[in-house]
Amino acid sequence: MINRERFIADVEAVRRRSPLVHNITNYVAMNNSANALLAIGASPVMAHWTDEMADMTAIAGALVINIGTLDTQWIEGMLAAGKAASLRGTPVVLDPVGAGATPQRTATALRIIEECKPTIIRGNGSEIMALVDASVKSKGVDSSASSHDALGAAKSLAQSSGAVVVISGPTDYITDGQRVETITNGNPIMTSVTAMGCTASSMVGAFAAVNADAFEASCHAMAVMGIAGQRAAAYSKGNGSMQVNFLDELYNFSPTEAAQMLSQE
Amino acid sequence: MINRERFIADVEAVRRRSPLVHNITNYVAMNNSANALLAIGASPVMAHWTDEMADMTAIAGALVINIGTLDTQWIEGMLAAGKAASLRGTPVVLDPVGAGATPQRTATALRIIEECKPTIIRGNGSEIMALVDASVKSKGVDSSASSHDALGAAKSLAQSSGAVVVISGPTDYITDGQRVETITNGNPIMTSVTAMGCTASSMVGAFAAVNADAFEASCHAMAVMGIAGQRAAAYSKGNGSMQVNFLDELYNFSPTEAAQMLSQE
Amino acid sequence: MINRERFIADVEAVRRRSPLVHNITNYVAMNNSANALLAIGASPVMAHWTDEMADMTAIAGALVINIGTLDTQWIEGMLAAGKAASLRGTPVVLDPVGAGATPQRTATALRIIEECKPTIIRGNGSEIMALVDASVKSKGVDSSASSHDALGAAKSLAQSSGAVVVISGPTDYITDGQRVETITNGNPIMTSVTAMGCTASSMVGAFAAVNADAFEASCHAMAVMGIAGQRAAAYSKGNGSMQVNFLDELYNFSPTEAAQMLSQE
């Protein structure tokens, strides 16, 4: 179970230290992820130019690689940044958006895992399963598998890659291949807000920047997402207001209140 | 006139079947279009990498090509996807953003029409006129022609291209070259929300994915846009809240209520 | 001090003339900047394709170049557009996002200044200082210097480049190398909304398009930003609602009311 005191301490550390989180993320998610990072107290930078990747990585507290709108040039930037960060020991978060939807996405995600050795991999059930079994197909970028069905794949991926693996869903699963934590906060409307998963990956980056224990950092970040989402959903009328209210909840996030709302299986 | 029962049935079909709508769209519109598709019940994917276009097209129910922020590489991806979709019989929607503003945009739109044979072309008055008469100039991406003035051009374009042509404006016109339907729902504030036209094109894609009659699908999609916009405008204070409220209206869209609000000339 | 009548006249001129503002800006800011320009009455176009830069520049009232998410190809488009605009006498606004964060960014900004002769340069304190003293380091895209500390650098940059230089911060400074105007409107929450600085640069473009006096245009644009931000902050709960309310305030902007709220040192 998540330790409440350590959760509170991590949220406060993000606010106090305002880590620079370097995102190479998709066009859809950039604005949301940047605002979510600002809201929780981190300092986002979006940059993908191969020429500046080593220099940008050198000043970042974490790197988040998201393949949502990939192409040849961006993959080059992702690999340059990922390898540089990995060499420096800077935490690398991979979001394999749409793995399983096309073979090119699956292959790109696997190549990033191989070459950049991510610290944490966060995806939905289908994406995580596709990284372990190439026969799994995703429907676009939305999951067609339950997060629970993907747990076996997540453990296997964690063991083979050495990364902590996070599956988002009605229940979030976080595993290092041995241990498993669950988070059951959140609300179904979150799946109707685009880039919510991508934002979760950036949030994981912020917490990994202040906590060297990647397993714990992942749990804390996903708890923040679920609790802020649950609170925002309570007064949102649709996915438009949900997007706005979610940011406001992050902006006013009280870790002590949140610690009492934390829900786990 | 639009048949109310068939309109209701199409909205319900989008919700029930949640078609995958593949968008190659501009950077400004991506977030809005994705959220609008999610709100109405469709499943959006944004992808432009030439290497994965054939595979992505193979799983999509419709393809939307929007040239708002085009460049050489994106055009390559658009053509690859458009030809692949066309060959498979997957509906292709073209949004010729800024046709008439620069000769390069007009030429690109005409090339996509020639090579990809779009099922539906949706633009504002200036854009549609520029595709028929190269001497028509647009002011950037905003229309300098009334939608009514463009109707002749739209009919002519529909006949020469074989596509259903949709002109957005205070009155929307939908024509297959013979028939013309109008929709007079909507509100002027919609022109102050960026990417509203691009979102309309993505919405047309969602309806084309569930209704093989492209003329009817276009009418239904434009009716959804106009009615949701009209409802949202009633309580929006500016273009900021309008963007949010519009998504909430789509999220809570009641086709039976909407059928009673439908307004046509 | 800013002349109230001339401020009011400029806001009315933007509304009446609706200048086309051509933005080559970053992916994070595009949607916000486009909506802000629409809200104040201007007509935004986002376009970066090298092939159409000369034609797009030819119809624009101002060009805004923002290096937030730069790469090799975009730099090519920026330089093509910037040189074409400069040759035509069209005002060019440069936003050197992240100058000082990586040497590549600093070098790119300096190259644009050298080759495109911007009319106005707008950045935060760190960015402006980095353009004058290569030893200044920024933390990502957020300022680590106070705007006041950067004033000397701003004057020096204005003198060497011939551009009006604007530093955003709790106090905004606008200088042509001799004169200095300040604006103390605004609210700290604006630094938690992503792309607010980028939006300020686009706003400067809109005012430069209607007022040939770049110093005055810059003051008026920054005053609009600060006053709209201050008004929006008064009823915003977090950075999510702030982003929305800021646009609504621009949409309903009353220059006569604003003239009475104007605050200067």
Side-chain angles (χ1 to χ4, degrees):
Chain A
M1 302 299 283
I2 293 175
N3 177 298
R4 267 63 178 164
E5 278 71 40
R6 294 179 63 79
F7 168 72
I8 293 169
D10 256 10
V11 174
E12 288 171 347
V14 169
R15 287 251 171 80
R16 192 176 60 249
R17 293 167 54 185
S18 192
L20 183 68
V21 181
H22 174 196
N23 298 269
I24 309 181
T25 188
N26 68 73
Y27 304 121
V28 186
M30 284 197 195
N31 193 277
N32 304 62
S33 298
N35 270 329
L37 288 169
L38 287 167
I40 202 67
S43 178
V45 68
M46 271 57 187
H48 66 284
W49 186 23
T50 305
D51 291 18
E52 69 170 346
M53 287 301 92
D55 290 281
M56 194 59 89
T57 301
I59 59 171
L63 168 67
V64 180
I65 301 177
N66 175 306
I67 67 167
T69 52
L70 81 175
D71 66 21
T72 305
Q73 288 184 300
W74 280 65
I75 293 170
E76 197 186 299
M78 290 170 186
L79 292 171
K83 287 185 222 174
S86 189
L87 275 173
R88 299 182 75 88
T90 303
V92 177
V93 180
L94 171 65
D95 188 333
V97 180
T102 67
Q104 295 80 9
R105 282 176 186 251
T106 311
T108 301
L110 291 173
R111 184 173 172 201
I112 293 170
I113 293 171
E114 178 68 24
E115 299 189 21
C116 306
K117 313 277 180 227
T119 320
I120 301 163
I121 303 169
R122 192 219 61 85
N124 62 37
S126 297
E127 290 159 352
I128 298 303
M129 289 172 80
L131 295 180
V132 175
D133 176 356
S135 70
V136 172
K137 302 282 180 247
S138 299
K139 181 193 167 189
V141 296
D142 297 321
S143 189
S144 44
S146 79
S147 49
H148 186 265
D149 290 348
L151 182 54
K155 284 184 183 172
S156 164
L157 179 61
Q159 288 163 7
S160 64
S161 69
V164 168
V165 177
V166 179
I167 313 167
S168 296
T171 299
D172 299 324
Y173 293 91
I174 300 99
T175 183
D176 60 1
Q178 306 297 331
R179 290 173 293 172
V180 177
E181 285 282 1
T182 62
I183 294 166
T184 55
N185 293 102
N187 185 286
I189 198 176
M190 295 173 82
T191 61
S192 292
V193 178
T194 196
M196 198 53 98
C198 309
T199 299
S201 295
S202 291
M203 191 63 69
V204 168
F207 281 80
V210 300
N211 185 343
D213 179 338
F215 182 73
E216 200 177 59
S218 299
C219 292
H220 295 171
M222 296 308 292
V224 167
M225 290 294 299
I227 292 164
Q230 184 174 320
R231 292 175 64 103
Y235 60 95
S236 295
K237 292 189 303 172
N239 65 340
S241 47
M242 179 65 190
Q243 190 171 31
V244 172
N245 296 335
F246 176 72
L247 290 174
D248 282 358
E249 286 295 330
L250 288 178
Y251 187 84
N252 296 299
F253 197 82
S254 160
T256 47
E257 266 185 58
Q260 296 181 322
M261 293 178 65
L262 196 51
S263 168
Q264 300 191 266
E265 277 178 2
Chain B
M1 303 299 283
I2 292 176
N3 178 298
R4 267 62 177 164
E5 277 72 39
R6 294 180 63 79
F7 169 72
I8 294 169
D10 257 12
V11 175
E12 289 171 347
V14 170
R15 288 250 171 80
R16 192 175 60 249
R17 293 168 53 185
S18 192
L20 183 67
V21 181
H22 174 195
N23 298 269
I24 309 181
T25 190
N26 67 73
Y27 305 121
V28 186
M30 282 196 197
N31 194 278
N32 304 62
S33 297
N35 271 329
L37 288 170
L38 287 168
I40 203 67
S43 178
V45 68
M46 272 56 188
H48 66 285
W49 186 23
T50 305
D51 291 17
E52 69 170 346
M53 286 301 93
D55 289 281
M56 193 60 90
T57 301
I59 59 170
L63 168 68
V64 180
I65 300 176
N66 175 305
I67 66 167
T69 52
L70 81 175
D71 66 21
T72 306
Q73 287 184 299
W74 280 65
I75 293 170
E76 196 187 300
M78 290 170 186
L79 292 170
K83 286 185 222 175
S86 188
L87 274 174
R88 300 183 73 88
T90 302
V92 177
V93 180
L94 171 65
D95 188 333
V97 180
T102 68
Q104 295 80 8
R105 282 176 185 251
T106 311
T108 301
L110 291 173
R111 184 174 171 200
I112 292 169
I113 293 171
E114 179 67 23
E115 298 189 20
C116 305
K117 313 276 180 227
T119 319
I120 302 164
I121 302 169
R122 194 219 59 84
N124 63 37
S126 297
E127 290 159 352
I128 298 302
M129 289 171 80
L131 295 180
V132 174
D133 176 354
S135 70
V136 172
K137 302 282 180 248
S138 299
K139 181 195 168 189
V141 294
D142 296 321
S143 189
S144 45
S146 80
S147 50
H148 186 264
D149 290 348
L151 182 55
K155 283 184 183 173
S156 165
L157 179 61
Q159 287 163 7
S160 64
S161 68
V164 168
V165 177
V166 179
I167 314 166
S168 296
T171 299
D172 298 324
Y173 294 91
I174 300 100
T175 183
D176 60 1
Q178 306 298 330
R179 290 174 292 172
V180 177
E181 287 282 2
T182 61
I183 294 166
T184 55
N185 293 100
N187 185 285
I189 198 178
M190 294 173 82
T191 61
S192 293
V193 178
T194 196
M196 196 54 98
C198 309
T199 298
S201 294
S202 291
M203 191 63 69
V204 168
F207 281 80
V210 299
N211 185 342
D213 180 337
F215 182 71
E216 201 177 57
S218 299
C219 292
H220 295 170
M222 295 308 292
V224 167
M225 291 294 299
I227 293 165
Q230 185 174 319
R231 293 175 64 103
Y235 59 95
S236 294
K237 293 188 304 172
N239 65 340
S241 47
M242 179 65 190
Q243 190 170 30
V244 172
N245 296 334
F246 176 72
L247 289 174
D248 281 359
E249 286 295 330
L250 288 178
Y251 187 84
N252 296 298
F253 198 81
S254 160
T256 48
E257 266 185 58
Q260 296 182 322
M261 294 178 65
L262 196 52
S263 167
Q264 300 191 266
E265 277 179 3
Chain C
M1 302 298 283
I2 292 176
N3 178 298
R4 268 61 178 164
E5 278 71 40
R6 294 179 64 79
F7 169 72
I8 293 169
D10 257 10
V11 175
E12 289 171 347
V14 170
R15 287 249 171 82
R16 191 175 59 250
R17 293 168 54 186
S18 191
L20 184 67
V21 181
H22 175 196
N23 299 269
I24 309 181
T25 190
N26 67 73
Y27 304 121
V28 186
M30 283 196 196
N31 192 278
N32 304 61
S33 298
N35 270 329
L37 288 169
L38 287 167
I40 203 67
S43 178
V45 69
M46 271 56 188
H48 66 285
W49 186 23
T50 306
D51 291 18
E52 70 169 347
M53 287 301 91
D55 289 279
M56 193 59 90
T57 301
I59 59 170
L63 169 67
V64 179
I65 300 176
N66 175 307
I67 66 167
T69 51
L70 81 174
D71 66 21
T72 306
Q73 286 184 299
W74 280 65
I75 293 170
E76 196 187 299
M78 290 169 185
L79 292 171
K83 287 185 219 173
S86 189
L87 274 174
R88 299 183 73 91
T90 302
V92 177
V93 180
L94 172 65
D95 188 333
V97 180
T102 68
Q104 294 80 7
R105 282 177 185 249
T106 312
T108 301
L110 291 172
R111 184 174 171 200
I112 293 170
I113 293 171
E114 179 68 24
E115 298 189 21
C116 305
K117 313 277 181 226
T119 320
I120 302 163
I121 302 169
R122 193 218 61 83
N124 63 37
S126 297
E127 289 159 352
I128 298 302
M129 289 171 79
L131 295 180
V132 174
D133 177 354
S135 70
V136 172
K137 303 283 180 244
S138 299
K139 180 192 167 190
V141 296
D142 297 321
S143 190
S144 45
S146 80
S147 49
H148 186 265
D149 290 348
L151 182 55
K155 283 183 183 172
S156 165
L157 178 61
Q159 288 162 6
S160 64
S161 68
V164 169
V165 177
V166 179
I167 314 167
S168 296
T171 299
D172 298 324
Y173 293 90
I174 299 101
T175 182
D176 60 1
Q178 307 297 331
R179 291 174 292 172
V180 177
E181 287 282 2
T182 61
I183 295 166
T184 55
N185 293 101
N187 185 285
I189 198 177
M190 295 173 81
T191 61
S192 293
V193 177
T194 195
M196 197 55 100
C198 309
T199 298
S201 295
S202 291
M203 191 63 69
V204 168
F207 281 80
V210 300
N211 186 342
D213 180 337
F215 182 72
E216 201 177 58
S218 299
C219 292
H220 295 170
M222 295 309 291
V224 167
M225 290 295 299
I227 293 165
Q230 184 175 320
R231 294 175 64 103
Y235 59 96
S236 295
K237 293 188 302 172
N239 65 340
S241 47
M242 179 65 190
Q243 190 171 30
V244 171
N245 295 335
F246 176 72
L247 290 174
D248 281 359
E249 286 296 329
L250 288 179
Y251 187 84
N252 296 297
F253 197 82
S254 160
T256 48
E257 265 185 59
Q260 296 181 322
M261 294 178 65
L262 196 52
S263 168
Q264 301 192 265
E265 275 177 3

